[in-house]
Amino acid sequence: GGHIEVVPCSHVGHLFRDPDHRPYPVVVEQVVRNYARIAEVWLEEYLPYFYKVKPEANGMEVGDLSAAFKLKEKLQCKSMKWYLENVDREMEWEKDHICIPGCDIPKICCKGPQHPQRTTLDKIMPVELYKSRPTISLQELTKPSRSEL
């Protein structure tokens, strides 16, 4: 019943229905494993940040990812570093402010309550930093790779 839309500069997310309204059972461990598979392929040097917020995925068997890595290379996808520097500067700032609300582990727990609508932050990027971020044009985001020319 759903659909997929491709929108430049969009953020991707998945909203789960509450357990009473799911048409099929959702095995949380499988969902976490799928997150880990995506993270292993796409996050590159940012992978430790993923494991900070999903420690249960650390050491989880993710299977053979060689086809995913080959596809990423074939499509000449930009790196996560490029994405954070040019598209989602807010996420670039947030990576250094990740914390877990309500826990008692030094250097991992938030100092205050979680920020509204954020599960791993107790503060958000200051407005002045957000306004000063560089911009990138739609043409730069959608220009064909050399293999498409």
Side-chain angles (χ1 to χ4, degrees):
H3 63 280
I4 296 174
E5 293 184 23
V6 178
V7 181
C9 293
S10 64
H11 295 257
V12 178
H14 185 243
L15 300 176
F16 282 106
R17 298 176 188 174
D18 66 89
D20 294 336
H21 295 95
R22 293 179 186 151
Y24 52 86
V26 174
V27 180
V28 174
E29 184 178 335
Q30 183 59 50
V31 173
V32 173
R33 181 176 288 107
N34 289 342
Y35 290 157
R37 290 177 57 82
I38 292 167
E40 288 286 340
V41 173
W42 293 99
L43 295 187
E44 301 151 352
E45 68 264 32
Y46 300 95
L47 194 56
Y49 298 102
F50 167 75
Y51 287 113
K52 184 174 182 178
V53 297
K54 286 285 181 207
E56 66 273 30
N58 204 357
M60 188 177 270
E61 176 56 45
V62 295
D64 182 11
L65 300 173
S66 57
F69 280 109
K70 284 180 187 174
L71 179 61
K72 180 180 171 186
E73 184 179 334
K74 177 184 173 191
L75 295 174
Q76 299 178 354
C77 296
K78 299 219 183 261
S79 69
M80 179 55 100
K81 181 177 176 66
W82 180 92
Y83 175 78
L84 293 177
E85 289 175 352
N86 295 283
V87 178
D88 197 342
R89 299 280 296 150
E90 185 175 14
M91 187 181 286
E92 169 69 17
W93 181 90
E94 288 176 353
K95 76 176 177 41
D96 295 321
H97 298 86
I98 293 171
C99 60
I100 309 300
C103 74
D104 58 2
I105 303 168
K107 296 185 181 180
I108 292 179
C109 300
C110 295
K111 292 181 177 144
Q114 77 183 53
H115 192 274
Q117 301 179 345
R118 303 297 180 129
T119 58
T120 58
L121 295 170
D122 58 0
K123 56 188 163 211
I124 59 171
M125 187 168 134
V127 173
E128 61 275 7
L129 292 178
Y130 189 78
K131 288 181 178 179
S132 69
R133 69 190 182 121
T135 58
I136 187 166
S137 71
L138 181 59
Q139 288 80 15
E140 286 183 90
L141 285 173
T142 59
K143 70 181 171 187
S145 66
R146 293 177 188 248
S147 64
E148 295 175 310
L149 296 176

